[in-house]
Amino acid sequence: MKKLLGLLFIAAPALFQAQTATTTTDSLTSIYRAVPEKINDLVHTKLEARFDYEKAYMYGKVWITLEPHFYSTDSLVLDAKGMEIEAVAIAKRTVTTPLKYQYNGKQLHIKLDKLYKKGEQYKVYIKYVSKPDELAKGGSEAIRDDKGLYFINPRGEDKNKPTQIWTQGETESTSVWCPTIDKPNQKCTQEFFLVAPSKYVTLSNGKLLQQQKNADGTRTDYWKMDLPHSPYLFFIGVGDYAIVKDVYKGKEVSYYVEKEYAGVARKIFGNTPEMIAFFEKITGVSYPWPKYSQITGRDYVSGAMENTTATMHQESAQQDSRQLLDGNSWESTIAHELFHHWFGDYVTAKSWSNLTVNESFANFSQVLWNEYKYGKDAGDAENYKDMQQYLSSPEDARKILVRYHYKDKDDMFDLVSYQKGGRILNMLKNYLGEDAFYQGLHLYLTTNKFNNAEAHQLRLALEEVSGRDLNWFFNQWYFSSGHPKLNIHYAYNDSSKTVSVNVKQTQSEPAFILPVAIDVYNGKNKIRHDVWVDKKDQTFTFAVAAEPDLVNFDGDKILLCEKKETGKSLANYIHQYYTAGLYVDRREAISACALLQDSTAAVDLLKTALKDRYHELRIFALHSADLKKENVKQTLESTIFSVAKGDQEPTVRAEALMALSTYDKPIYRELIQKSVNDSSYSVAGAAILSLNQIDKATAYTEAKRLSATKTKDKMAEAISNVFAENSKVEDLDYVLDWYNALPFGQAKVENANTVAYYAIQLNNTEAVKKATDALVSFRDQIPSAYQKDIYPFVNNVLLKTIATQKSAMKNVSSNATEIQEQIDYINSKIK
């Protein structure tokens, strides 16, 4: 699964200063979360499903083949949440015999017809009704709802939204729509017979073997999966989709998208066959499944999900051609879900405690794919981003990667299982070397294929291949919490011709064992010293012929750590930018220069970085430049203009256009106004905002004109910001349509400020109510995992600020009664 959010920040808003309370994580429960006991094993699941769109029900019949795991048993417990159970029977050939059972709304306790022994299979038949909308709501950071089966706009009441059905099984929600043993250490084959309106297509696991039209206007699609996989990976999708097909080694690779995106489906998903080939190469394991399909879903409750052979993606994956000019924002997610088909589907975590063997690998695959496809800078940038996300969350630093104590299984889907785990694998690959690392993964996958595993089995496979003991590595990274916090000091001694590197580990946890490279540079010449940092305070001394131009700790920029460096000059950082040259080397140099912008050398480095070979560092340099300083503004002016005109990356041109608004020159205004019509949404949006800084009237006119055209992403956001600043009633619907359509995520949180600002400025009571309702709707859809942070933000910051501002207006207004009505309405929505 790809989380809906990599990390959610509650930013200090531009319009309101958020005063959210500091919160801490509850202590981990003392309950030991054992690997689920296996009394009966799933063998095969045969399902017949018919859907009632009016009631949002699924009428199901299921035949489940099982056998005792080891001990003989005369009973069976199945997970079955919120169902109406109509019949339970033992099925033998064509005869079904009713069985006694008890049902508590969550589990079905069945008394079998006899005592069954290990190796003796039996088949249970259940007729039931699934009622997902009648379940109590749950959810987590990764999966914001857990009702398993979703009817999207089932009665067609929303003309702007398609009618769809899709399922979300992880963690244990398949049992909302299919009775099963809903645990990750169960695996079985399956047959699904799906009865759906003939106008729709269906998707499920495995291959579509047969379609039969029915007299009532429906069609029965027969999907069969001959290879075993876990129940949380079962999937059903139904809707009005275009199916765009590719092929890889004779296997179908298909993309199910809403029909308006059929023409760009390959631009979104078309790298999938190449990804499969790459992942086959590095693992040495051929793609094991019969096909690979990807489908999008409206109102999806997560980012994406690796249902075996039928990956589900949030609607954000669907990008039009103008969005794709700014880059395919979903490509890392596509790689993530595909890699799960080796790590997660083929070999599955034995329990949620060992989620790392699923999610850490999928997260790491994003680095591997980006480096392979787009170069080392792209891979390093992906690694750096995820490392910073983890390091920005002190609460997560207190968690153990493999943890058998947690409050709820959904809590495992966090920055530790994903971002921290991915960085640990990156360090492990660096320590073992690529060949040993990948051969170890091959051994792990082939040894545990179509089965379950945990972190110890990964360790044993890597040890077997490399011949190295890895207990020390796994003990500190997989079975302990925290990460190293390093204070690094460099000193040169001219009399002894030595350079020393003092490393202090300041974390509260014991000293980490860190194999690390220290590179000593004289000019372009580099001498590498491979050392082991294993004490809280340690000094390494190296003989040198002269004072080095740079001593570069962690030369591969691989360590997961917090790092402070002293004894390092501006000249050292500049040398690091030009000579060490990795993505993080250059980023650190830009950061150092950003702190010293009174220095000509520092500003010159920033100027160079505006032309860096990697586009994200060009943007970082633009963000780092302090254009309020006259020396910086003059030095960078011509380069910024050149970047705004001609950089090959639209996102870089967009940032440069924003920077040009600080210069009051006709030639720059001409470029800005021309760029309002750029094909890239990022460029057009930046141009609108930049124009708004220098000519608000013209910016509003352009925003008004463009709002009548198709707008998305940064362009729609820019138009909405300009409209909010002007606060005209007739523009409110555009802003609210844009805001309401945003999927839950960081953009939704940040742009709540735009809606709140609009509400303050409006005088029309009905318009104020509509804006308020948009904020309330957002608040009420917040997943429970985020409520402690975002609920106070919406209630105490946004809504109360609107009411307070309205109260101040009332005191000087001739329409005090109307404003009081607005205040009362806003206050009635605060909870």
Side-chain angles (χ1 to χ4, degrees):
M1 164 162 289
K2 178 70 172 180
K3 290 173 63 177
L4 182 68
L5 305 170
L7 178 65
L8 186 66
F9 296 95
I10 305 301
L15 303 177
F16 307 98
Q17 190 69 32
Q19 301 294 329
T20 54
T22 301
T23 58
T24 57
T25 305
D26 294 335
S27 298
L28 293 178
T29 176
S30 60
I31 299 173
Y32 172 67
R33 305 292 182 175
V35 174
E37 183 180 4
K38 298 178 79 171
I39 299 172
N40 289 283
D41 290 341
L42 294 174
V43 176
H44 185 72
T45 299
K46 176 182 175 182
L47 172 71
E48 292 183 3
R50 181 183 294 270
F51 305 98
D52 186 329
Y53 285 81
E54 190 65 31
K55 295 180 179 179
Y57 285 178
M58 189 194 93
Y59 302 105
K61 297 177 183 179
V62 66
W63 293 260
I64 307 172
T65 304
L66 307 102
E67 67 175 74
H69 180 73
F70 184 83
Y71 301 104
S72 299
T73 184
D74 62 356
S75 62
L76 170 66
V77 178
L78 294 175
D79 299 296
K81 301 182 179 77
M83 296 178 176
E84 178 184 330
I85 304 297
E86 297 183 349
V88 178
I90 195 81
K92 295 183 178 180
R93 295 185 177 89
T94 60
V95 178
T96 58
T97 304
L99 294 173
K100 293 181 179 180
Y101 67 91
Q102 292 182 332
Y103 181 54
N104 61 11
K106 293 184 178 179
Q107 288 187 318
L108 189 58
H109 295 256
I110 302 171
K111 181 69 173 177
L112 300 174
D113 61 325
K114 69 167 193 171
L115 187 72
Y116 287 87
K117 299 178 181 180
K118 178 178 171 61
E120 187 176 5
Q121 293 186 358
Y122 62 93
K123 186 183 298 182
V124 171
Y125 164 77
I126 304 166
K127 183 180 180 183
Y128 62 96
V129 182
S130 171
K131 303 178 178 181
D133 288 356
E134 298 176 18
L135 282 175
K137 186 176 181 181
S140 68
E141 288 187 18
I143 312 156
R144 58 187 172 92
D145 194 283
D146 62 353
K147 65 183 183 180
L149 173 64
Y150 296 81
F151 288 81
I152 305 303
N153 194 26
R155 291 170 289 279
E157 296 164 336
D158 186 343
K159 301 305 178 186
N160 296 315
K161 183 179 292 185
T163 296
Q164 296 174 349
I165 296 172
W166 45 261
T167 61
Q168 170 57 40
E170 196 171 39
T171 46
E172 297 174 8
S173 296
T174 292
S175 49
V176 173
W177 54 273
C178 181
T180 189
I181 304 175
D182 209 352
K183 301 298 178 185
N185 63 339
Q186 290 283 344
K187 294 204 172 190
C188 70
T189 54
Q190 71 183 62
E191 295 174 274
F192 282 7
F193 294 82
L194 307 179
V195 183
S198 295
K199 62 183 177 180
Y200 296 146
V201 299
T202 69
L203 177 64
S204 190
N205 314 100
K207 299 181 74 172
L208 178 61
L209 297 185
Q210 185 177 339
Q211 294 183 299
Q212 178 179 313
K213 291 185 178 180
N214 305 317
D216 62 355
T218 64
R219 186 187 67 251
T220 301
D221 289 354
Y222 172 38
W223 292 88
K224 189 175 184 183
M225 168 66 92
D226 285 328
L227 299 172
H229 65 147
S230 295
Y232 77 88
L233 298 166
F234 292 1
F235 178 74
I236 294 173
V238 183
D240 188 16
Y241 290 97
I243 306 174
V244 178
K245 293 186 178 183
D246 278 335
V247 66
Y248 177 75
K249 291 184 178 178
K251 293 182 178 181
E252 176 187 322
V253 177
S254 53
Y255 322 123
Y256 287 60
V257 295
E258 293 173 32
K259 290 181 176 177
E260 68 174 288
Y261 294 96
V264 291
R266 281 195 177 87
K267 291 183 179 179
I268 300 168
F269 298 107
N271 281 334
T272 302
E274 186 179 356
M275 286 180 184
I276 296 174
F278 171 62
F279 292 149
E280 285 185 342
K281 180 180 179 181
I282 63 174
T283 63
V285 176
S286 296
Y287 178 75
W289 308 101
K291 69 124 173 23
Y292 188 56
S293 298
Q294 297 174 83
I295 187 171
T296 61
R298 289 291 186 102
D299 300 340
Y300 186 47
V301 294
S302 189
M305 178 64 206
E306 67 276 12
N307 313 296
T308 315
T309 76
T311 286
M312 178 85 174
H313 292 282
Q314 184 191 94
E315 64 192 83
S316 301
Q318 295 183 143
Q319 304 154 81
D320 65 28
S321 58
R322 292 184 68 180
Q323 288 173 291
L324 291 166
L325 288 174
D326 296 331
N328 184 355
S329 65
W330 214 251
E331 188 162 338
S332 287
T333 302
I334 293 168
H336 178 116
E337 303 309 329
L338 175 59
F339 206 52
H340 267 309
H341 281 70
W342 284 263
F343 294 90
D345 297 7
Y346 189 55
V347 179
T348 308
K350 189 175 291 185
S351 69
W352 300 120
S353 296
N354 272 277
L355 184 64
T356 179
V357 299
N358 291 7
E359 294 300 348
S360 298
F361 275 100
N363 177 277
F364 183 41
S365 75
Q366 299 170 213
V367 174
L368 298 176
W369 168 254
N370 274 285
E371 180 174 335
Y372 161 79
K373 183 67 175 176
Y374 302 108
K376 179 143 179 69
D377 281 344
D380 287 351
E382 186 82 13
N383 190 70
Y384 179 86
K385 175 194 69 177
D386 279 2
M387 186 182 296
Q388 297 312 306
Q389 287 182 344
Y390 162 72
L391 292 175
S392 298
S393 179
E395 289 185 7
D396 285 296
R398 294 193 288 270
K399 299 176 185 175
I400 299 170
L401 179 56
V402 178
R403 51 191 185 272
Y404 289 92
H405 297 83
Y406 50 79
K407 289 178 63 178
D408 186 271
K409 59 189 177 300
D410 289 333
D411 295 338
M412 289 298 300
F413 293 78
D414 58 15
L415 293 167
V416 180
S417 295
Y418 287 73
Q419 282 83 347
K420 182 180 183 181
R423 311 295 65 74
I424 290 168
L425 290 170
N426 200 30
M427 290 189 294
L428 193 52
K429 179 170 76 80
N430 182 263
Y431 171 65
L432 294 175
E434 282 195 1
D435 289 346
F437 179 73
Y438 288 137
Q439 287 183 41
L441 298 190
H442 175 82
L443 180 60
Y444 167 82
L445 289 170
T446 53
T447 302
N448 302 292
K449 63 182 179 181
F450 300 116
N451 213 322
N452 298 86
E454 53 189 34
H456 288 297
Q457 285 154 302
L458 174 64
R459 173 182 61 83
L460 290 170
L462 292 166
E463 286 182 339
E464 176 70 21
V465 168
S466 69
R468 294 180 179 178
D469 176 81
L470 293 173
N471 278 290
W472 63 271
F473 186 95
F474 277 74
N475 284 342
Q476 72 181 15
W477 289 115
Y478 281 82
F479 303 110
S480 298
S481 62
H483 55 268
K485 298 179 181 180
L486 307 179
N487 287 346
I488 303 160
H489 180 73
Y490 306 97
Y492 170 67
N493 188 314
D494 187 53
S495 60
S496 63
K497 298 297 182 186
T498 59
V499 65
S500 63
V501 182
N502 177 253
V503 184
K504 288 186 173 70
Q505 298 194 40
T506 64
Q507 72 277 359
S508 59
E509 295 85 3
F512 279 74
I513 301 171
L514 306 171
V516 64
I518 301 176
D519 295 334
V520 180
Y521 285 84
N522 278 292
K524 293 182 178 180
N525 295 322
K526 177 182 79 174
I527 297 176
R528 169 157 290 193
H529 302 274
D530 292 313
V531 303
W532 287 73
V533 177
D534 55 8
K535 299 178 179 63
K536 278 295 187 94
D537 191 340
Q538 207 165 353
T539 299
F540 302 93
T541 302
F542 310 110
V544 292
E547 182 173 4
D549 292 307
L550 170 68
V551 180
N552 197 18
F553 181 85
D554 185 21
D556 291 328
K557 293 297 180 281
I558 209 76
L559 287 184
L560 172 58
C561 66
E562 294 180 56
K563 181 177 66 171
K564 295 180 181 178
E565 296 180 284
T566 56
K568 196 168 181 177
S569 68
L570 175 61
N572 295 149
Y573 276 111
I574 292 173
H575 196 85
Q576 179 174 312
Y577 180 91
Y578 288 108
T579 311
L582 294 176
Y583 169 88
V584 176
D585 289 318
R586 302 191 326 270
R587 188 181 181 98
E588 287 178 352
I590 294 169
S591 294
C593 290
L595 299 175
L596 299 167
Q597 295 189 49
D598 289 330
S599 162
T600 299
V603 177
D604 285 344
L605 189 281
L606 291 177
K607 183 176 181 179
T608 298
L610 293 177
K611 296 284 191 175
D612 190 275
R613 66 175 181 259
Y614 189 60
H615 68 280
E616 288 185 10
L617 288 183
R618 300 198 292 276
I619 292 173
F620 184 57
L622 279 162
H623 288 172
S624 300
D626 184 358
L627 297 180
K628 293 179 181 178
K629 291 181 177 292
E630 194 59 34
N631 67 309
V632 178
K633 187 175 180 179
Q634 290 182 8
T635 301
L636 302 186
E637 181 178 358
S638 61
T639 305
I640 291 173
F641 183 45
S642 173
V643 170
K645 282 194 304 179
D647 197 281
Q648 62 182 356
E649 292 289 338
T651 52
V652 181
R653 295 203 307 275
E655 296 298 331
L657 284 168
M658 290 296 298
L660 280 185
S661 66
T662 62
Y663 298 91
D664 186 18
K665 292 188 176 180
I667 190 172
Y668 301 155
R669 173 173 174 155
E670 180 182 344
L671 175 62
I672 290 168
Q673 190 152 359
K674 176 184 176 183
S675 298
V676 164
N677 298 306
D678 196 273
S679 298
S680 159
Y681 287 133
S682 290
V683 172
I688 292 167
L689 293 177
S690 189
L691 185 61
N692 196 50
Q693 295 297 311
I694 57 180
D695 186 344
K696 295 186 182 303
T698 302
Y700 176 77
T701 299
E702 291 287 8
K704 191 75 173 176
R705 175 180 66 83
L706 291 169
S707 68
T709 66
K710 186 174 182 179
T711 57
K712 286 188 176 184
D713 286 358
K714 292 297 184 181
M715 185 176 180
E717 182 178 338
I719 292 170
S720 295
N721 276 275
V722 172
F723 282 170
E725 189 170 320
N726 285 270
S727 300
K728 296 183 180 181
V729 173
E730 61 264 31
D731 299 325
L732 179 63
D733 284 345
Y734 176 92
V735 175
L736 295 186
D737 286 347
W738 157 75
Y739 183 73
N740 290 332
L742 288 174
F744 177 80
Q746 188 64 35
K748 191 89 169 181
V749 177
E750 292 175 349
N751 286 293
N753 295 287
T754 301
V755 178
Y757 181 86
Y758 217 139
I760 290 172
Q761 303 303 315
L762 289 166
N763 294 319
N764 182 283
T765 298
E766 292 306 310
V768 171
K769 289 180 178 179
K770 285 173 69 174
T772 301
D773 288 346
L775 295 174
V776 170
S777 176
F778 161 55
R779 179 198 66 194
D780 292 346
Q781 294 173 16
I782 294 169
S784 58
Y786 295 110
Q787 287 178 0
K788 71 181 189 303
D789 292 316
I790 307 181
Y791 250 68
F793 170 62
V794 177
N795 286 320
N796 301 334
V797 178
L798 299 181
L799 295 178
K800 285 187 177 179
T801 299
I802 298 170
T804 300
Q805 294 289 328
K806 292 290 183 181
S807 294
M809 294 175 182
K810 186 181 77 168
N811 296 330
V812 295
S813 173
S814 59
N815 294 321
T817 301
E818 187 172 1
I819 295 177
Q820 185 60 50
E821 182 183 351
Q822 297 170 18
I823 295 168
D824 291 343
Y825 186 81
I826 295 163
N827 286 332
S828 73
K829 298 296 182 179
I830 297 173
K831 64 179 182 181

